[in-house]
Structure formats: C-alpha cells, structure tokens
C-alpha cells in the first residue's frame, strides 16, 4: 500500500509540473524505472521468503523511494481540484482491478493507470477549463485600464515585476503574480481579483509550444506588447528556432497604432519586421541604450542614451547586465506615461534572480530561476568581479536536448573564465559539460543540498557561491 501511495505522489507531481502531458510520465517512468519498480521486486521476494532478511529489503526500498521524493522534489505536489478529480478516477480504477488482478500487478501498473485516469478525465477538464477562461475573458474585457502584455524566452517575469512596481508609485496597478503566464493561470488571477478603478493591468504570456501565444492573444486584449528576448528555451517542444521566433513575435499586433517595446540587443527580434509603433532598446542597438556599464556584487551602474544622446546616469540595486537590460523597457514605459525615474533606482532585487545574500563570512549569488545561457553568462560576469574564492553550483539546463553539445561547450568556456571551483549536480547534461572543463576543480554531487554542503566545507573567508538554475532538479 505504501508503494502505491508513493508512486501516485511521484507520478501526480510529474504530471502537474508538466501541464498534465502524458509524454512527461512516459519519459519519467522509463528514466526512473529502477526506482518505481524496485518495490515490486522486493514485494515478490518478501512473499517468497517471509520473516527473513527480505522483510528488511522491502522496508529499505520503501524508504529509498521516500528519500528520493524528498530529495529531488524542488516543487511539491499542490492538492488542487484537478488532482482530487484525478485521484478519484484512479481510485475507481484500482477498486475495479482488485476483482481481477493481484496487488503486485496493480502496483506495477500504477503509471499506466494514472495515464488512463488522465485520459478519462480529459473531457471534463476541458469543459471546466473553457468555462473558467470564458468567465475571465468576460471580466477582463470590462476592465477599464491600460493593458500591457509581456513575453520572451527569458526576462519576462523580471520586466513585469519592475514595470509593475515602478507604475505603482504613481498609478493603481495589478499584474499577474509569480509566473502565472498560462491561460488557466491568468484566468485564475482575473477571476479572483478586484480590478475596480484600475489604471494599469499587466499580463505575462508564457509559451512552451507552437500556438500558446496565439491562444493567449485571443483570450486577453492589450494595448502595449513587450518582447524581452528570444532564445533556445523549450526548443525540445518547439522543435526549431523558427517556431520560437514566430511564436514570441506573435504577441506584436499587426496594427500601426499598437505600441510594442522590443529588445533589439536580441538579433532574432531585431531582424523581425513589425508594422506596430515600436520602441527599441539594447546595449549596442535600439533607441534606448545602456552604455558604460559597471558591474559589481552590490549594484550596477550605466549611462542612458536615447537616440544617441546622453540622457542621464543610473545606479541600480539590481545585479548584472540582464538586470540593466531589463530596466530599459521600464524606462521606456516611464517616458510614455511621464513618470519620474527615481523609483527605478529604488527597485529591489527579485529573489532567485541574481540576488545577493550576505552571510557571516561569505556571499551567495542566487540565480536559481535562470535557465538560459545568456543569463548565466551575465551572472558569471558579476561573479568574476568578486575578489574572494569563486564557487558555482549548478545542475545545468533542461529541455535543451537538441542543442546540448553546443550548449555544453559554450557554458564550459564561460565557467572556466570566471569560476575557481565548480560543483555539478550529476545528470546527463552536467556529465557532458564536465568533459569540456579542463582548467578548474570540478566535483559531482547527487543533489543541490549535497552541493551546498560541499561548498560549506570548502569555502574560505570572503568566498562566494553562484547558484545557477537549481530548479532543473
């Protein structure tokens, strides 16, 4: 019974984190076959050899599975209404099968039974989804506010937060929380919120496959669009860069009166033709440019140029070139709505996005939410400015199988020029990455926590640890 419950928890968690896609469960089941089915072997042996050492074997395998769940789950299962409905259907399946199959077989087929329950529930889930979204669309259409929609392969959550916090200094503003960027996430935000007397409403639009942005643009109207970046994020689900470019740029309306703000430092965005009224930004490209950038572990400094003319200097409490780049669309919004810049310099760090934690005699640069090579490069630039011993802890990147070899080579080059000691959470990507690391110390660990414990043993006074993308686990 314990084995069944543990498997249900693990598979439910995998399903929920992967938007209830059956492929994720199949891939996980194949990859973790030895864990999911070790209990079945133990149960069989225990049945054959009662009151022996095999009794301890089954207990041991149960504990092994439980420790696996606790150690590896960075995002725990949320008990939602959908999970309850799925559990109800699964329970009915198990009850029916007990009349025909022995317990061992039922335990063995739990992943398949969960997938079947997911398929059975799909029609009702689609009905609930349509009803929920329809209610949100009706409500959002009646919200009298300037609406901004933001997308990008990376940077969209940070830009959303920075714009939201800056506008709040002068206006009544609401924006989607955390990474609520799917149709259901945004619908939940709309359906449960109070939007009376609102001046600005900011949406974050996410996409993992072709058609996601188009779906969101049909549901939620907006006046201003922002594209923060286009990169290789989710290339495994998009299949190629052409699909990613078309999908992200789909947020820009084909209307000359529509306002769009575009990151021209990104060549994919820069080379894409749009008919909307555009405001562009970057370091070397765009109307708004950040020049003479100075980086450190405590702040970032830069000069703002607009149409080639110096406007003013900024000192921000945010770290890295990615933060400087993400501030530029905020400045454009300020200019569009006559907002003073003073609130920009007071913007506080966003947790897990290259934020500094000052400890007793060492520092932590927390960039756990970053999952792209460009952002990792910017984080390593900041790390390089520190005078103490520089450590890095990372499990690498996810959903990059199509370009993993090229990515590993580039990542290794960036790491070797900035890091003294590299701690890798062992997986297929980091094993590949280590093959390209030659000039610095490298250690493998089996989990993020083990990696942090190793750093605590090795650190010296004034050491710094860069945590890069720990959520891959």
């Amino acid at each position: 019974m314990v084995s069944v419950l543990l498997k249900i928890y693990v598979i439910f968690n995998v399903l929920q984190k992967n938007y209830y896609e059956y492929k994720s469960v199949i891939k996980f089941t194949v990859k973790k076959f030895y864990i999911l089915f070790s209990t079945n072997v133990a149960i069989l042996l225990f049945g054959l050899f009662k009151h022996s050492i095999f009794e301890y074997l089954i207990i041991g395998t149960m504990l092994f599975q439980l420790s696996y769940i606790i150690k590896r789950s960075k995002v725990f299962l949320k008990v939602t209404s959908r999970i309850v409905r799925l559990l109800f259907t699964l329970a009915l399946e198990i009850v029916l099968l007990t009349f025909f199959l022995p317990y061992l077989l039922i335990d063995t087929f739990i992943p398949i039974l969960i997938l079947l329950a997911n398929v059975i529930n799909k029609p009702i889930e689609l009905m609930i989804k349509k009803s929920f979204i329809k209610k949100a669309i009706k409500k959002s259409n009646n919200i009298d506010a300037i609406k901004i929609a933001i997308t990008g392969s990376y940077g969209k959550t940070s830009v959303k937060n920075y714009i939201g916090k800056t506008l709040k200094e002068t206006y009544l503003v609401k924006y989607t929380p955390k990474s609520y960027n799917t149709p259901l996430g945004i619908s939940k935000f709309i359906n449960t919120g109070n939007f009376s007397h609102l001046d600005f409403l900011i949406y974050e639009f996410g996409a993992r496959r072709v058609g996601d942005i188009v779906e969101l643009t049909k549901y939620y109207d907006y006046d201003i669009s922002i594209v923060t970046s286009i990169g290789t994020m989710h290339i495994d689900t998009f299949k190629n860069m052409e699909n990613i470019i078309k999908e992200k740029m789909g947020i820009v309306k084909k209307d000359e009166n529509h306002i769009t703000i575009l990151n021209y430092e990104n060549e994919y965005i820069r080379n894409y033709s749009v008919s909307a009224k555009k405001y562009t930004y970057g370091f070397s490209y765009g109307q708004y440019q950040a020049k003479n950038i100075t980086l450190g572990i405590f702040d970032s400094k830069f000069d703002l140029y607009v149409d080639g003319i110096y406007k003013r200097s900024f000192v921000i409490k945010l770290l890295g070139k990615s933060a400087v780049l993400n501030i530029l669309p905020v400045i454009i919004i300020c200019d569009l709505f006559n907002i003073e810049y003073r609130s920009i310099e007071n913007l506080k760090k966003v947790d897990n996005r290259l934020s500094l934690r000052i400890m007793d005699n060492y520092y932590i640069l927390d960039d756990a939410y970053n999952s792209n090579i460009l952002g990792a490069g910017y984080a390593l630039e900041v790390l390089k400015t520190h005078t103490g011993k520089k450590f890095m802890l990372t499990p690498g990147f996810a959903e990059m199988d199509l370009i993993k070899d090229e990515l590993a080579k580039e990542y290794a080059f960036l790491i070797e020029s900035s890091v003294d000691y590299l701690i890798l959470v062992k997986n297929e990507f980091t094993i590949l990455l280590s093959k390209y690391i030659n000039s610095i110390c490298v250690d493998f660990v089996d989990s993020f926590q083990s990696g942090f414990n190793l750093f605590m043993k090795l650190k010296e006074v004034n050491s710094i640890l860069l945590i890069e993308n720990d959520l891959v686990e």
Side-chain angles (χ1 to χ4, degrees):
M1 187 62 177
V2 176
S3 174
V4 170
L5 292 175
L6 286 172
K7 286 178 184 176
I8 290 171
Y9 179 93
V10 171
I11 300 298
F12 272 26
N13 198 16
V14 171
L15 255 183
Q16 190 177 68
K17 286 191 290 187
N18 290 277
Y19 306 96
Y20 297 90
E21 295 175 355
Y22 72 91
K23 288 181 181 178
S24 62
V25 173
I26 294 173
K27 185 177 179 180
F28 179 83
T29 302
V30 171
K31 189 175 181 180
K32 302 298 181 183
F33 183 88
Y34 69 97
I35 291 177
L36 292 173
F37 298 104
S38 60
T39 48
N40 300 97
V41 176
I43 290 168
L44 180 61
L45 291 173
F46 183 42
L48 294 173
F49 304 97
K50 291 183 179 180
H51 307 297
S52 69
I53 193 172
F54 293 105
E55 183 172 358
Y56 299 102
L57 177 61
I58 187 172
I59 294 170
T61 49
M62 298 295 183
L63 291 174
F64 176 74
Q65 281 192 322
L66 183 58
S67 65
Y68 170 79
I69 294 166
I70 295 171
K71 182 185 278 188
R72 294 292 186 181
S73 290
K74 287 290 180 183
V75 180
F76 294 101
L77 179 69
K78 296 180 178 66
V79 183
T80 63
S81 299
R82 182 166 186 171
I83 286 293
V84 172
R85 291 191 293 271
L86 188 63
L87 184 61
F88 178 76
T89 304
L90 177 63
L92 287 179
E93 290 177 347
I94 293 172
V95 169
L96 288 173
L97 285 175
T98 54
F99 292 102
F100 307 101
L101 297 175
Y103 169 79
L104 186 60
L105 281 177
I106 294 174
D107 182 278
T108 302
F109 292 124
I110 283 297
I112 296 172
L113 293 176
I114 291 174
L115 286 177
L116 180 60
N118 195 41
V119 171
I120 292 169
N121 281 14
K122 193 166 185 178
I124 191 169
E125 297 301 339
L126 286 174
M127 287 175 58
I128 293 169
K129 177 182 176 180
K130 286 180 180 179
S131 174
F132 198 63
I133 291 174
K134 187 177 179 180
K135 180 182 176 184
I137 291 171
K138 184 178 179 180
K139 185 175 178 181
S140 66
N141 287 339
N142 291 322
I143 297 173
D144 184 19
I146 296 170
K147 296 167 186 172
I148 302 172
I150 304 172
T151 195
S153 296
Y154 38 86
K156 53 187 178 292
T157 303
S158 294
V159 170
K160 175 194 68 181
N161 288 332
Y162 298 155
I163 291 176
K165 289 174 181 177
T166 301
L167 287 173
K168 272 188 174 181
E169 294 287 323
T170 311
Y171 297 100
L172 184 59
V173 183
K174 285 201 173 181
Y175 48 96
T176 50
K178 300 179 182 178
S179 293
Y180 276 41
N181 55 27
T182 64
L184 280 176
I186 295 173
S187 295
K188 181 180 180 181
F189 165 69
I190 295 293
N191 286 334
T192 57
N194 179 6
F195 301 93
S196 301
H197 311 295
L198 198 65
D199 296 310
F200 285 89
L201 177 60
I202 307 172
Y203 298 124
E204 177 183 332
F205 285 1
R208 295 181 73 247
R209 63 184 58 74
V210 173
D212 284 354
I213 293 293
V214 173
E215 183 182 17
L216 287 162
T217 59
K218 286 180 179 177
Y219 294 157
Y220 305 105
D221 194 19
Y222 48 93
D223 306 290
I224 300 171
S225 62
I226 300 175
V227 185
T228 61
S229 60
I230 293 178
T232 54
M233 287 286 295
H234 306 305
I235 196 167
D236 286 359
T237 51
F238 276 111
K239 304 303 181 186
N240 56 59
M241 278 306 302
E242 288 73 20
N243 287 339
I244 297 176
I245 295 165
K246 187 177 179 181
E247 189 66 26
K248 298 297 182 183
M249 295 307 293
I251 198 173
V252 183
K253 293 181 180 180
K254 296 176 181 178
D255 180 352
E256 292 181 358
N257 295 318
H258 174 69
I259 295 174
T260 188
I261 300 173
L262 305 174
N263 172 14
Y264 260 35
E265 197 63 27
N266 185 285
E267 63 177 328
Y268 298 119
I269 300 174
R270 189 169 67 246
N271 295 331
Y272 197 93
S273 177
V274 299
S275 56
K277 184 178 181 181
K278 62 185 179 183
Y279 293 85
T280 59
Y281 65 93
F283 300 133
S284 303
Y285 301 91
Q287 298 158 280
Y288 286 71
Q289 293 183 15
K291 300 282 190 180
N292 307 318
I293 300 168
T294 304
L295 303 175
I297 65 168
F298 299 107
D299 58 29
S300 304
K301 302 171 184 176
F302 67 95
D303 295 333
L304 174 66
Y305 284 75
V306 180
D307 294 324
I309 300 171
Y310 170 81
K311 192 165 186 179
R312 62 159 288 179
S313 298
F314 283 87
V315 179
I316 57 174
K317 299 173 183 177
L318 309 169
L319 307 181
K321 276 189 176 179
S322 56
V324 173
L325 193 62
N326 290 336
I327 283 297
L328 294 177
V330 185
I331 292 172
I332 295 172
I333 290 290
C334 286
D335 283 355
L336 286 174
F337 297 99
N338 298 313
I339 300 169
E340 293 184 8
Y341 293 152
R342 66 175 184 276
S343 57
I344 292 175
E345 292 192 313
N346 293 324
L347 283 171
K348 295 181 180 178
K349 63 186 180 182
V350 179
D351 289 341
N352 309 119
R353 289 180 171 86
L354 201 55
S355 55
L356 180 70
R357 280 188 262 161
I358 303 173
M359 314 307 283
D360 289 338
N361 59 359
Y362 64 95
Y363 301 93
I364 293 177
L365 265 178
D366 187 353
D367 200 30
Y369 281 0
N370 176 60
S371 54
N372 68 88
I373 188 67
L374 183 63
Y378 289 155
L380 287 163
E381 280 185 346
V382 174
L383 182 72
K384 197 173 183 178
T385 66
H386 188 60
T387 54
K389 192 169 183 178
K390 295 173 276 289
F391 292 78
M392 180 178 179
L393 169 59
T394 181
F397 299 109
E399 294 186 336
M400 299 285 192
D401 287 349
L402 294 177
I403 57 167
K404 63 183 179 183
D405 194 67
E406 178 187 342
L407 190 66
K409 288 180 183 178
E410 184 179 355
Y411 205 16
F413 175 78
L414 293 171
I415 289 169
E416 281 196 306
S417 62
S418 307
V419 177
D420 300 314
Y421 203 111
L422 178 62
I423 304 172
L424 297 173
V425 179
K426 194 171 186 178
N427 58 46
E428 186 179 346
F429 180 82
T430 54
I431 290 171
L432 177 63
L433 175 64
S434 68
K435 293 178 181 178
Y436 299 110
I437 302 285
N438 301 307
S439 61
I440 61 172
C441 296
V442 180
D443 253 320
F444 280 102
V445 291
D446 62 357
S447 69
F448 171 77
Q449 188 58 53
S450 299
F452 185 76
N453 292 341
L454 178 60
F455 163 73
M456 292 300 289
K457 290 179 182 178
L458 297 172
K459 70 176 177 64
E460 304 167 358
V461 174
N462 201 35
S463 288
I464 188 167
L465 171 67
L466 171 62
I467 299 171
E468 193 67 27
N469 197 24
D470 77 309
L471 293 180
V472 168
E473 293 189 54

